Structure formats: structure tokens, C-alpha cells
Amino acid sequence: MEAVKALRRAALLLALPLVLGAAAPAPGALERQVDATLRQAYGPYLKENGGASDWQRPVFTPATRQLIRAWMRHNGEELTGLNSFGWFCECQDWDWRAFGWKRTAIRQLAPGRIEVRVRVIVVSGSSLEQRLVLVRQGSRWLIDDLFAGDIPKGIKAAMRAELAVKPGE
């Protein structure tokens, strides 16, 4: 009887991740999904015009997009610390011919939440490291926060700080 109970417990423990939707993705699937988001974030810098502003790219979680919208409404056309540079390159100018990015690490923080480290080359001979927190939203991984040299406490904390200040002050 004890052996049967132990077997049932073991089977339940093995099935639990599948039931909760926390099963590990197929080998390589996580990396491909994460890289698809990173290509949308960093890819525009591989072109001369760089595309839309970083905060307008479709790579952020709904919560972060909501914060971005509030931040944009709050600041209007006022130039602030955060809208004076590209978040994914930490730059105002870059060499699109030399620009590059490479995912250097992925670490699970919690089910459906990962940390991704990226090395970014803005101009030849110069690179910087960024840390992104991504959250699984349906079949995609979306950026929930971004930490870098110019934004060490994260982009969300930086936006909240700017929201607490009257524009132009």
C-alpha cells in the first residue's frame, strides 16, 4: 500500500509541471523565442535610420507598455533623460554598419520569467552589457524591464522617477 502511495505521489509530481503549464520548452525553443524578441528590439539599429523609438517597439509586456504610455503622456514633447537616447543602444548616435548584439546568457528567475544578458556593440571597438527581464505572454517572451549602464535601476524605475517630476523641471 505504501509503495502504491509513493508511486502515485511520484506520478503526480512528474505530471504537475505539465498540468500547470510550466513544462520546459523543447531544446532550443526558448532561445529561438527569446532571440525573436531581441531581433525586434535591437534589429532596427542594423539599419541606417534605426526605425521607431525604442519605447515604441512591440517588444514590451502590457504592464510596461502601459507605463510607457503614461510616461509619454506625462512628458509630451519635453526632452527628458529617458527619451534623449536609445534604450537598446544607450546612445544618440551609432554606427549601423558596426552595430551588433549577442545574447550571452539566459537564466530562469521564476516560471515564465527569465533574465537575458546581451552584449551590444554600438560602434566598432566598443561594447556594453545589458540585462533584460522577459516574461512569457502567450507564445512570446516580452521585455518587462531593462537594466543598463545609463539605467542601472531599470527602465521601469526610471520612468516612474520621471513621472514623479513635473516636465521641464
Side-chain angles (χ1 to χ4, degrees), residues 117-133:
R117 293 191 178 265
V118 177
R119 178 174 300 116
V120 182
I121 300 166
V122 179
V123 294
S124 185
S126 174
S127 68
L128 54 99
E129 302 290 325
Q130 294 186 331
R131 183 172 65 89
L132 297 89
V133 174

Side-chain angles (χ1 to χ4, degrees), residues 20-39:
L20 296 177
L30 172 66
E31 291 83 357
R32 283 191 302 277
Q33 293 167 351
V34 167
D35 287 349
T37 298
L38 296 178
R39 274 192 300 280

Side-chain angles (χ1 to χ4, degrees), residues 16 51 56-57 63-64 86 96 106 115 122 132 136 141 156 161:
L16 194 57
Q56 295 173 325
R57 296 189 182 152
T64 302
W96 64 276
I106 296 177
E115 174 189 82
V122 179
L132 297 89
R136 183 137 183 106
W141 286 94
K156 290 168 79 172

